Amino acid sequence: MKYITSTFAALSLSATVAIAQDIDLPKQLNWTAYDTGSAGYNQSVAIGAALQDATGVNLRVLPGKNDVSRTEPLRQGRVQFSATGVGGSFMAQEGVFDFGAKNWGPQPIRVLMANNGGAINLAVGVAGDLGIKEFSDLKGKRVAYIVGAPALNVNTEAYMAYGGLTWDDVERVDFGGFGASWTGLIEGQVDAAFASTNSGKAYEAEAGPRGLFWPPIDPENKEGLAAMNAIAPFFSPNKAVVGATIDGTDGYQGAGYAYPVLTAMESTEADLVYNMTKAMVELFPKYDGNSPGIGGWALDKQNMEWVVPYHEGAIRYFSEVGAWNETAQAHNDTLVARQAALAAAWKATEAANPEDWEAAWAEARRAALIAGGFPVTF
């Protein structure tokens, strides 16, 4: 028995060494993620530990309070990658909300992989001492708004829309970051905030004096879902089994989408992206189970036809392992063309130098998408 165990350990070590020798990454990697305590941050740390253990690569995770603070270091080249959400990926690509400001514009974002586990939801949690049962019950309540984080705010707005509400129906409370909003919920400064169900802050709220409740989403409520998707088309009903108040239960019926999403810029070196993607896939057994909800990074859970294009380096790896096909490539080509149309519209708007930048860009953006035959969102 001891011999078998020792042999298995030796084989596992040999396999790890072989993987490590086959992954060519710089000894120091940097990427941004959500605030400390978030699911994105915790999963990034777990992935970094696996990288360090298997390859000796040190992954430095820089927490960012909002979409802009996570994306700025990426576009400046101060980090190679960002473990972000729909804000730093889809909305940055689209040049909307904070990314529609004159110093931003549509970004050539590329995806490596995403967590599509389905084990968690991205949801609005409410303080458990309020007696709230449905999202419509949020009327008149204090709802967190994160300055510089359009993804979080649009998601919150989408959940309110499901309940027939808008920001005008609630008391908006501004916070400088994700973590601060949940500290505010725990300490009684706000009544509702958005997070992944497995966020460390959500677990803190569950254990706090107010408790935590996730109002449900009914998959049969077509009207509510239509209102939700009109605000955030990337949401779909999902039953979470991992998260605060959820662990060990039959699950929570809410909604979700890919999170976190590992991104790079189009200009990021293809070989670097290839090897990072390879590491994410082949070291998966080493980090799987080391953070709640992390299993969604598995190769068989990847959506190769998402709303943001994949990087050529990632495509090269997926092609090698048989996870890429002509349909995925055609979809990717369409997304790249969409980005090109948005970039051209942005350049033309800059040249025109309109007095009302916000209105001019909104009009130019929609016109460019319609002319290119692309779906118009926002």
Side-chain angles (χ1 to χ4, degrees), residues 22-280:
D22 202 28
I23 294 173
D24 184 14
L25 288 170
K27 288 302 179 183
Q28 176 70 53
L29 279 176
N30 301 293
W31 76 30
T32 58
Y34 277 76
D35 266 354
T36 305
S38 69
Y41 183 85
N42 293 342
Q43 290 180 25
S44 298
V45 170
I47 291 166
L51 265 175
Q52 177 71 51
D53 184 48
T55 68
V57 171
N58 180 47
L59 174 59
R60 183 181 177 214
V61 182
L62 306 177
K65 290 183 177 181
N66 54 51
D67 298 319
V68 169
S69 62
R70 282 186 294 278
T71 310
E72 181 67 18
L74 185 68
R75 76 162 173 169
Q76 289 185 0
R78 292 192 286 114
V79 301
Q80 296 100 330
F81 305 106
S82 178
T84 189
V86 294
S89 55
F90 181 57
M91 293 175 188
Q93 163 190 279
E94 297 295 302
V96 293
F97 302 108
D98 286 26
F99 296 106
K102 201 169 184 179
N103 63 328
W104 271 99
Q107 300 297 305
I109 297 291
R110 294 292 186 271
V111 173
L112 282 73
M113 297 185 72
N115 187 322
N116 292 286
I120 66 168
N121 279 341
L122 289 301
V124 170
V126 302
D129 60 358
L130 297 174
I132 285 177
K133 299 299 180 184
E134 303 286 345
F135 283 105
S136 57
D137 296 335
L138 282 175
K139 187 170 185 177
K141 299 297 190 294
R142 300 168 298 172
V143 178
Y145 183 96
I146 316 304
V147 177
L152 299 182
N153 301 326
V154 166
N155 294 340
T156 300
E157 184 179 354
Y159 271 97
M160 290 194 297
Y162 173 87
L165 305 176
T166 69
W167 286 107
D168 291 335
D169 297 309
V170 300
E171 180 184 344
R172 175 180 138 177
V173 182
D174 289 4
F175 291 93
F178 162 82
S181 69
W182 277 82
T183 298
L185 186 145
I186 294 166
E187 296 180 352
Q189 299 163 359
V190 72
D191 300 318
F194 180 86
S196 60
T197 54
N198 63 334
S199 165
K201 285 292 186 179
Y203 283 105
E204 283 185 39
E206 177 188 16
R210 305 185 73 193
L212 177 66
F213 178 72
W214 306 103
I217 292 290
D218 180 1
E220 300 304 316
N221 183 351
K222 304 303 182 185
E223 183 179 346
L225 289 172
M228 185 180 203
N229 287 142
I231 304 295
F234 37 79
F235 268 116
S236 60
N238 184 63
K239 190 171 186 179
V241 294
V242 174
T245 77
I246 301 168
D247 297 334
T249 72
D250 291 336
Y252 156 61
Q253 184 63 62
Y257 56 82
Y259 167 78
V261 183
L262 186 60
T263 62
M265 301 302 290
E266 178 192 19
S267 59
T268 305
E269 184 183 349
D271 286 346
L272 174 60
V273 175
Y274 170 88
N275 281 281
M276 187 72 252
T277 307
K278 184 182 182 74
M280 290 292 294

